[in-house]
Amino acid sequence: RIGRGPKPERMNAMSAAARRAHVSFAVMRQQLPASFKRFSTGAAAAGSGGGLLAFAQANPFVTQLGVSTVKTGAADILTQTTVEGKGFWEIDWKRNMVFVLFGAAYLGGFQYWIQVNMFRKWFPGMDRFANSTMAQKLKDGPGMLSAAKQVCFDVFVHLPFMYFPVFYSVKESVQGSSWNPVDWVKDGCTKYYNNFAKDFQVMFTVRAQ
């Protein structure tokens, strides 16, 4: 199975998916807030020891972007080859491109902005509470209340009304037949609306487990 090369039609489909993903990512990148383009200037504070940890501390956004992109794409490949039992040449690269694009643009970009930049404004003391010991957290009533508010925002606002619509739209940009971003959003949001109840129920089922 591994020794068999890809069929021409599969290669053409992979190439078309890559071109469509490039276009969609370029469109999304133009809409990113300016804060996405600013890297941390704390390189001096990270010390001169170098290494991955120092780089991550000095460039948290770049690290988040890279990790989210690689992790999301690798997770889908692992799922296809291990769980679904596909060989390398049977991998659905169009599907994988959905996860790569979504991991980069949303998980690495938008989610960093909202859960780091905006949460710090909406929930003051977030960093202090996160860096506290467990004993200190248990004594910090306002900190625990703030953490609960963050969880509620994530579950009842962010995931159902931001995460899922964007995911379906990104999926349409790669797997759909149109090259028009308006169609990606329209078709993606239509599927999001039709699957809303099921997705919301599954989300709570997974979290409960």
Side-chain angles (χ1 to χ4, degrees):
R1 177 180 294 177
I2 295 179
R4 186 173 68 248
K7 296 181 180 180
E9 57 269 23
R10 182 177 292 275
M11 292 297 295
N12 291 337
M14 290 164 56
S15 177
R19 291 197 302 271
R20 188 178 292 114
H22 175 76
V23 173
S24 59
F25 184 77
V27 172
M28 288 185 177
R29 188 176 184 278
Q30 293 176 357
Q31 305 302 322
L32 292 177
S35 58
F36 281 4
K37 302 176 183 179
R38 292 198 297 266
F39 296 162
S40 172
T41 58
S48 57
L52 293 177
L53 180 59
F55 179 85
Q57 291 174 336
N59 304 277
F61 172 69
V62 176
T63 302
Q64 166 77 5
L65 188 65
V67 170
S68 296
T69 304
V70 174
K71 176 196 68 175
T72 312
D76 178 63
I77 292 177
L78 184 64
T79 299
Q80 293 195 49
T81 56
T82 303
V83 179
E84 300 175 10
K86 295 180 179 178
F88 181 79
W89 297 114
E90 297 174 318
I91 292 176
D92 186 345
W93 293 108
K94 289 183 67 176
R95 183 182 110 174
N96 185 254
M97 190 62 66
V98 173
F99 287 92
V100 170
L101 180 60
F102 185 72
Y106 191 91
L107 299 180
F110 178 79
Q111 192 162 276
Y112 180 93
W113 173 74
I114 194 171
Q115 293 189 334
V116 176
N117 294 1
M118 299 310 298
F119 269 29
R120 281 173 175 161
K121 295 181 179 179
W122 298 337
F123 308 104
M126 179 182 74
D127 291 330
R128 177 192 55 77
F129 185 78
N131 293 324
S132 300
T133 64
M134 181 58 67
Q136 292 172 331
K137 290 178 180 178
L138 293 176
K139 298 177 181 178
D140 187 354
M144 289 192 291
L145 179 60
S146 177
K149 291 179 180 179
Q150 294 172 49
V151 173
C152 288
F153 179 88
D154 189 49
V155 173
F156 295 107
V157 178
H158 170 231
L159 291 176
F161 300 110
M162 299 180 189
Y163 181 98
F164 284 125
V166 173
F167 176 78
Y168 278 106
S169 298
V170 172
K171 184 177 180 180
E172 284 301 309
S173 74
V174 178
Q175 296 186 340
S177 58
S178 174
W179 290 84
N180 189 343
V182 175
D183 292 334
W184 303 342
V185 175
K186 182 179 67 175
D187 296 341
C189 287
T190 298
K191 293 182 179 180
Y192 154 74
Y193 176 80
N194 293 335
N195 295 332
F196 180 84
K198 179 180 178 181
D199 289 341
F200 201 63
Q201 181 181 4
V202 170
M203 181 182 69
F204 276 97
T205 303
V206 171
R207 284 177 175 267
Q209 293 175 347

